Amino acid sequence: MLRIHHPPKGEPVPTDFMVFLNGEQTALWYCRVSAMPYNTVWPGFQRPIEQTETASFISFEMQEPVKVRLVACKAFSEAIVRPLSKNIQPATQGREIMFTISEPGGYTLELDGMHHALHIFANPLTDFGVDKAAPGVRYFGPGVHEAGNLELNDGETLFVDGGAVLYGSVSAFHKKNVRIVGYGVIDGSREERTTANLLIPVDYAVDGGDLRCEETLRAYMRENRVLNGCVHLYSCQDCEIAGIIARDSSTFAYIAAGCERLNCEWIKTIGMWRYNSDGIDLFNSRYVRIANGFFRDFDDCIVLKGIKGWDRENLHHITVTGCTVWCDWGSALEIGAETCADEYHDIVWENCDVIHASHVVMRTHNSDRAHVHDMVLRNIRCEYSPYDLEGVYQHDMTQPFAAFRRRAIPHLIASPIYDGPYSQDHILGRTSHVRYQDITIYAPPGMEVPPCSFGGQDGEHCNRGIVLENIVMNGKRLRPEELKIEKDAFSDITVK
């Protein structure tokens, strides 16, 4: 069975492709993405539209292989379907492109590079076990809904069905058993961002402030006009986010701050072109699973942060698995940069495809007091492209991006320990017992081995017990001397 989610009337319809799924025609969904890796330090306001471009996506549910037939609006010479690990080889004839998707997942079709890509969300067929008419269920069916800022209560389920667009945001404060499910879109584009806004609820100003207190948090968010994003959970327990497409957030799209026992699966981020439009950020949360998501973001994609005001809680027992990640700026899979917590531990990143990276594929960005330990990154597939551009900071807002021909090789791994511009504790941390295992690099011909860097400050504040095992590039296992490892005099790195 195939169930297609058609965009509702009133939504912009891109014309980059004609699309047929198992012979049935559907329209493209609209999104806006970053066109270039050009960023600036938090300015408060929104990013210039000239630094962006339009793109598109399609969404459907499948129980069987789906034959995709596309007709491009313009001629092309190269068609690539990612992730490359899926080994989908499109057949082309003129402007026609054909391939088959055999299993659910997040995919992209890219013609002659990364611009104006088509994003494909192939979902498992499900009704999420929800009775739409049951008490405690808020149901939004196909169509456009101006919902504003929704707040959920204990035991409530928000169901945003495929083909629905909910303009607004969703939040919960100190709630239990909340579910936010469905294959619809939660769109944050109505939220304007100005210099009067605060990016996230972070207690820089009040020494010792505790944002785990609901009254304190609500007052702080009102007084500082904290941005809502798409889906934000604060001090919640036993909750689920499943299937949702977050589009065009003014800040971090998904936030779980001080949460416990949270399951996130088949969620997506797309249309993240604004400054600091992270994918999903866990602030001082524990017992969290993020599975089978698709994240394309202009800034870090999947991030574990320790944030001042939440930092009486550690981050632990967190699993990220089966995700597809496209990072337009920053890091794809990241710890930090803020690491305000005593410990991060028992963390697994596995079976993920990073189809595009900007600065770093995997970064442990320890810039506060935390001891990050007992973490494994395994079976991570890292794709490099001849179209990768050098990231540039914009210091003069009148200057256009001038690095279109400056190609870059993003770091494979970076694990710095420092006190820097994003530090909140200003106390050095340390990182130990981290394993990078079965890491696969897909690289264009002739590309050099991407660098790995490990930076410490002294014998205590450094990387210890770090293991790199079975790093493979274009089918060849790299010997220790072939890896490009940059390290300080204190760090302990073993290559197997």
Side-chain angles (χ1 to χ4, degrees):
M1 180 178 177
L2 170 67
R3 182 185 295 158
I4 302 173
H5 306 144
H6 304 284
K9 291 181 180 180
E11 283 289 289
V13 179
T15 57
D16 296 342
F17 301 93
M18 292 176 60
V19 184
F20 301 86
L21 303 174
N22 283 356
E24 180 179 352
Q25 186 169 7
T26 186
L28 299 171
W29 289 74
Y30 166 87
C31 59
R32 180 168 294 280
V33 297
S34 175
M36 62 196 74
Y38 205 18
N39 203 352
T40 190
V41 177
W42 162 251
F45 52 80
Q46 298 183 95
R47 191 176 179 206
I49 202 76
E50 295 77 19
Q51 297 177 13
T52 72
E53 66 185 27
T54 58
S56 56
F57 65 92
I58 56 176
S59 177
F60 54 88
E61 299 167 59
M62 58 183 290
Q63 276 186 321
E64 60 191 25
V66 175
K67 294 181 179 179
V68 180
R69 185 170 73 88
L70 305 164
V71 181
C73 69
K74 60 182 180 181
F76 59 90
S77 58
E78 177 188 66
I80 293 178
V81 176
R82 300 181 190 273
L84 297 178
S85 66
K86 302 300 183 183
N87 196 30
I88 297 175
Q89 303 295 329
T92 62
Q93 184 174 0
R95 296 185 183 181
E96 189 174 46
I97 307 156
M98 293 167 288
F99 54 91
T100 298
I101 293 177
S102 299
E103 59 182 350
Y107 303 84
T108 64
L109 172 68
E110 301 167 29
L111 303 183
D112 299 330
M114 297 180 281
H115 294 292
H116 307 289
L118 172 63
H119 307 77
I120 301 169
F121 303 145
N123 303 289
L125 186 73
T126 182
D127 62 3
F128 298 93
V130 176
D131 178 355
K132 302 169 188 175
V137 174
R138 300 194 202 185
Y139 175 70
F140 290 85
V144 175
H145 308 272
E146 297 286 349
N149 301 321
L150 298 180
E151 189 172 321
L152 301 180
N153 295 311
D154 282 337
E156 281 197 311
T157 294
L158 173 69
F159 192 164
V160 186
D161 213 342
V165 181
L166 189 158
Y167 283 95
S169 67
V170 181
S171 61
F173 295 78
H174 288 257
K175 295 301 183 288
K176 296 181 179 180
N177 301 308
V178 164
R179 299 186 72 208
I180 303 165
V181 302
Y183 290 128
V185 173
I186 297 177
D187 184 291
S189 62
R190 300 288 196 258
E191 184 171 38
E192 289 291 323
R193 173 171 157 169
T194 72
T195 54
N197 293 118
L198 197 62
L199 181 67
I200 58 174
V202 52
D203 192 5
Y204 290 115
V206 181
D207 185 30
D210 189 351
L211 295 179
R212 298 176 305 166
C213 170
E214 183 174 358
E215 183 178 348
T216 299
L217 174 61
R218 287 184 181 273
Y220 184 84
M221 293 181 72
R222 285 194 305 270
E223 292 165 6
N224 293 278
R225 297 178 62 180
V226 177
L227 294 166
N228 293 308
C230 291
V231 178
H232 290 181
L233 304 180
Y234 301 105
S235 297
C236 292
Q237 297 180 345
D238 302 300
C239 295
E240 180 181 25
I241 310 170
I244 296 294
I245 302 169
R247 184 176 68 179
D248 201 349
S249 180
S250 61
T251 178
F252 302 177
Y254 297 95
I255 290 178
C259 291
E260 188 170 22
R261 296 183 300 278
L262 171 65
N263 183 53
C264 305
E265 58 183 357
W266 298 103
I267 64 174
K268 300 95 176 168
T269 57
I270 192 64
M272 304 298 169
W273 58 272
R274 305 170 196 261
Y275 297 125
N276 308 96
S277 54
D278 285 19
I280 182 167
D281 289 64
L282 307 182
F283 300 173
N284 303 85
S285 292
R286 53 262 174 224
Y287 300 104
V288 179
R289 174 178 176 262
I290 302 170
N292 305 315
F294 179 97
F295 301 89
R296 180 177 181 182
D297 302 281
F298 186 72
D299 218 330
D300 311 319
C301 294
I302 305 175
V303 194
L304 280 54
K305 288 183 179 290
I307 295 293
K308 209 69 176 171
W310 305 92
D311 57 322
R312 290 163 179 80
E313 301 288 349
N314 292 324
L315 294 94
H316 57 90
H317 292 91
I318 296 168
T319 299
V320 177
T321 183
C323 293
T324 303
V325 179
W326 178 333
C327 183
D328 282 314
W329 179 273
S331 305
L333 311 176
E334 182 177 80
I335 300 290
E338 306 89 339
T339 50
C340 293
D342 292 336
E343 290 184 274
Y344 288 59
H345 63 90
D346 293 285
I347 298 167
V348 175
W349 313 74
E350 64 181 0
N351 191 30
C352 292
D353 291 278
V354 177
I355 62 174
H356 292 291
S358 179
H359 293 79
V360 185
V361 177
M362 298 168 280
R363 176 152 54 182
T364 300
H365 210 351
N366 196 339
S367 66
D368 281 299
R369 71 179 192 265
H371 181 198
V372 179
H373 64 96
D374 293 288
M375 181 170 74
V376 62
L377 299 96
R378 63 187 173 218
N379 198 15
I380 309 296
R381 299 170 291 273
C382 314
E383 301 183 21
Y384 287 77
S385 163
Y387 303 101
D388 292 334
L389 292 173
E390 178 185 351
V392 176
Y393 269 106
Q394 184 174 16
H395 300 290
D396 180 347
M397 299 306 295
T398 67
Q399 292 299 308
F401 185 73
F404 280 113
R405 295 186 179 181
R406 301 213 306 257
R407 302 302 175 191
I409 301 177
H411 272 62
L412 180 67
I413 299 166
S415 185
I417 295 168
Y418 65 103
D419 180 2
Y422 301 107
S423 301
Q424 298 171 8
D425 282 331
H426 301 290
I427 301 170
L428 289 173
R430 56 198 173 105
T431 300
S432 68
H433 299 101
V434 177
R435 177 179 292 269
Y436 301 86
Q437 182 176 355
D438 301 329
I439 308 299
T440 300
I441 301 164
Y442 295 89
M447 192 190 92
E448 61 187 67
V449 175
C452 302
S453 64
F454 301 88
Q457 300 297 322
D458 54 41
E460 180 180 359
H461 307 102
C462 60
N463 289 270
R464 290 287 187 185
I466 311 300
V467 176
L468 281 64
E469 181 176 358
N470 192 30
I471 312 298
V472 175
M473 182 169 173
N474 290 346
K476 176 189 174 184
R477 182 169 181 163
L478 297 177
R479 300 188 302 273
E481 63 271 18
E482 292 176 305
L483 288 172
K484 183 186 283 188
I485 296 178
E486 306 159 358
K487 64 184 279 304
D488 60 87
F490 314 105
S491 293
D492 165 25
I493 316 297
T494 301
V495 179
K496 297 183 178 181

